[in-house]
């Protein structure tokens, strides 16, 4: 049988002509036909999983998922209708691969979108969300590897020579998953500390002094522990960028919890005392108010005004430093992924 040389690229892009007929003269034609249907699905599946990891818009992600499901359904219908070449063995393997990806989108990734909505609420929820992501990505990688094995076996069986390329999607998926494994590990290390600041901000919003002090101490302690954990982390290809950016964020959290929050709680306590004095004075008949009450009230007014000035300055500086630390980490994460994840 004549040997045909085909080049395998990102998702098995062949030197193919448009095949619209349902019968095929040779195995090469059938491979071209299948590849035409599979190529965009495979690339878009990979792009979709990257979007799940990066996009902030759940509605946009779900829209892409539904559009991708429609594309898969159309490809399955077209391949099902067409005859296989010689027999349906390879055809059935391709259909199983497509159906598996469809199930991934309908079940695993649909669940991941739901989990993402509550992931920020606790460390356990975030950990479960990331684990679900990694498991789904691993399933997709293994499915792609099986698809490629079947492809090569079918090509070898029919004496079709394949020139393997470093741009094969299976290789890209493997590299991508390794990159995300490091990224997710570092993000969980960060989030385990960061969630304490979420609780701290909630306590400040409620003016709950006891909860503020408790969460500030927890934040500082978690950040110190986080710094020690960072010392044990391996880099990805000697890239220390995420580790260094996370370290800066932890140093900010320590300063916030140990040095800045006490200034805020000091003002809140003074203001709380002032409100009590003010309430007592207002409830006392003007003729019965003592000089001591009035002097104490006036003294507290001065303390509150001074404390408010300090409170505002500390808050402003904290917001600036927090934004710098978190934006720095977010930008570092984005640059890390952009640098190490293979391009389409």
């Amino acid at each position: 049988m004549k040997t045909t040389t085909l080049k395998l690229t990102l998702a098995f892009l062949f030197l193919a002509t448009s095949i619209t007929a349902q019968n095929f003269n040779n195995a090469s034609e059938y491979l071209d036909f299948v590849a035409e249907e599979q190529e965009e699905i495979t690339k878009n599946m990979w792009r979709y999983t990257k979007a799940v990891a990066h996009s902030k818009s759940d509605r946009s992600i779900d829209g892409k998922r539904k559009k991708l499901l429609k594309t898969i359904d159309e490809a399955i219908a077209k391949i099902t209708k067409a005859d296989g070449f010689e027999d349906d063995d390879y055809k059935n393997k391709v259909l199983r691969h497509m159906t598996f990806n469809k199930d991934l989108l309908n079940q695993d990734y649909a669940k991941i979108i739901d989990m993402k909505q509550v992931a920020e609420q606790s460390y356990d929820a975030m950990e479960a969300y990331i684990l679900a992501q990694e498991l789904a990505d691993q399933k997709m990688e293994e499915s792609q590897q099986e698809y490629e094995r079947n492809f090569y076996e079918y090509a070898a069986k029919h004496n079709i020579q394949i020139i393997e390329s470093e741009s094969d999607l299976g290789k890209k998926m493997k590299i991508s998953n390794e990159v995300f494994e490091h990224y997710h590990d570092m993000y969980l290390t960060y989030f385990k500390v960061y969630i304490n600041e979420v609780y701290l901000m909630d306590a400040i919003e409620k003016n709950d002094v006891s909860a503020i002090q408790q969460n500030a101490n927890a934040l500082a302690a978690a950040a110190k522990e986080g710094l020690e954990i960072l010392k044990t982390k391996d880099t990805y290809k000697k890239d220390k960028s995420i580790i260094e950016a996370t370290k800066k964020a932890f140093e900010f959290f320590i300063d916030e919890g140990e040095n800045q929050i006490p200034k805020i709680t000091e003002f809140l306590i003074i203001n709380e005392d002032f409100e009590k004095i003010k309430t007592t004075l207002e409830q006392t008949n003007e003729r019965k108010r003592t000089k001591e009450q009035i002097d104490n009230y006036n003294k507290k007014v001065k303390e509150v005004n001074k404390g408010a000035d300090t409170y505002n300055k500390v808050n402003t500086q904290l917001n600036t430093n927090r934004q710098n630390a978190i934006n720095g980490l977010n930008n570092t994460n984005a640059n890390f992924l952009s640098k190490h994840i293979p391009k389409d």
Side-chain angles (χ1 to χ4, degrees), residues 38 41-50 68 97 100-102 104-105 108-109 133-148 169-170 172-174 176-177:
Q38 174 64 23
I41 292 176
T42 308
K43 286 194 292 187
N44 288 334
M45 278 288 292
W46 188 45
R47 289 169 184 162
Y48 172 77
T49 62
K50 291 195 291 183
L68 184 51
H97 170 71
F100 183 82
N101 283 343
K102 178 181 175 180
L104 269 180
L105 288 169
D108 296 57
Y109 285 109
Q133 243 188 299
E134 290 181 339
L135 288 175
D137 290 350
Q138 183 64 33
K139 287 180 182 179
M140 188 176 71
E141 178 190 340
E142 291 172 355
S143 175
Q144 180 63 24
Q145 289 173 347
E146 182 180 8
Y147 173 83
E148 293 179 15
L169 186 57
K172 290 189 173 185
M173 284 183 178
K174 180 176 177 58
S176 180
N177 287 346

Side-chain angles (χ1 to χ4, degrees), residues 12 30 50 65 77 128 137 199 205 240 342:
F12 308 127
Y30 188 67
K50 291 195 291 183
R65 185 180 69 88
D137 290 350
Y199 301 146
E205 186 177 342
K240 300 189 294 183

Side-chain angles (χ1 to χ4, degrees), residues 282-293:
E282 289 174 345
Q283 291 175 348
T284 302
N285 189 289
E286 288 188 21
R287 294 180 179 180
K288 295 183 179 182
R289 293 175 184 174
T290 65
K291 183 178 183 299
E292 182 181 1
Q293 282 181 307

